[in-house]
Structure formats: C-alpha cells, structure tokens
Amino acid sequence: MRGSIVAAAVLATGLALGMSALAQQAPKEHSMTGCLKKGTAPDTYMVTDVEGNGPKSIGIVSSVPNLAPHVGHKIEVTGTAVPPKDAEQDPNVPKAPHYMISTTCP
C-alpha cells in the first residue's frame, strides 16, 4: 500500500513537471495596446507608445488582419510573441524590443 502511494506521488509530480514544460513551450496569445505606425519597408508595421510596464514598441512580424486602415490609430493588437532571433531574420521587420504575429486587430 505504501509503495502504491509513493508511486502515485512520483507519477503525479512527473505529470505536473511535464505539463509545466509544455505550457512554457507553447507561445501564449496576449494583447498589447499602442499606436500603429507604418514600418520603413512596404506593408510593414509596428506599434509604438505601448501601454503598461512592458516593451514600449512592437515589431509586427506578420498579421492576419489588414493593418493599413488602422495606421495612426490607437489599437489593441492580439497575437503571439516571436523570439527576436527569428523576427530579425527578415530585414523588413521593424526593429523593436518585442515582436508579435498579429492574429486580431479591432
């Protein structure tokens, strides 16, 4: 009986650690609010004057919605973070301390 309890505890700990590692690997969708500006290359965008304590600008790596009509507007962009080394492989992506793939933009 005691061996079963120990085995169950070890199994539960292993599952919890495995789930924690999975949660850290999958990029989480998050939202940030700021002013949408055009990037220097055609059809590129960035968000400046980002609200909150995080980065103050975001380079948009790609976007599902058409961002052009929202340039100059305060927007909330929702998407997933992109590691800088991946985002900066494309020389057209505006340089920023944070990069996102935009999935929604109201």
Side-chain angles (χ1 to χ4, degrees):
M1 175 88 163
R2 191 174 228 190
S4 296
I5 294 172
V6 171
V10 169
L11 180 61
T13 302
L15 287 173
L17 290 173
M19 294 300 287
S20 175
L22 269 176
Q24 290 175 358
Q25 290 176 355
K28 286 189 174 185
E29 202 169 74
H30 61 284
S31 297
M32 299 176 93
T33 301
C35 183
L36 185 67
K37 307 252 184 214
K38 283 184 149 247
T40 53
D43 298 320
T44 62
Y45 302 93
M46 67 185 307
V47 179
T48 60
D49 303 315
V50 176
E51 296 176 354
N53 296 329
K56 295 303 173 194
S57 63
I58 307 164
I60 304 296
V61 176
S62 68
S63 176
V64 173
N66 177 12
L67 296 178
H70 304 286
V71 171
H73 298 161
K74 181 179 180 179
I75 65 162
E76 178 181 76
V77 62
T78 300
T80 55
V82 176
K85 66 179 178 90
D86 295 340
E88 293 169 357
Q89 288 181 0
D90 181 347
N92 292 324
V93 172
K95 299 290 182 229
H98 187 71
Y99 297 97
M100 287 178 71
I101 293 177
S102 168
T103 54
T104 63
C105 174

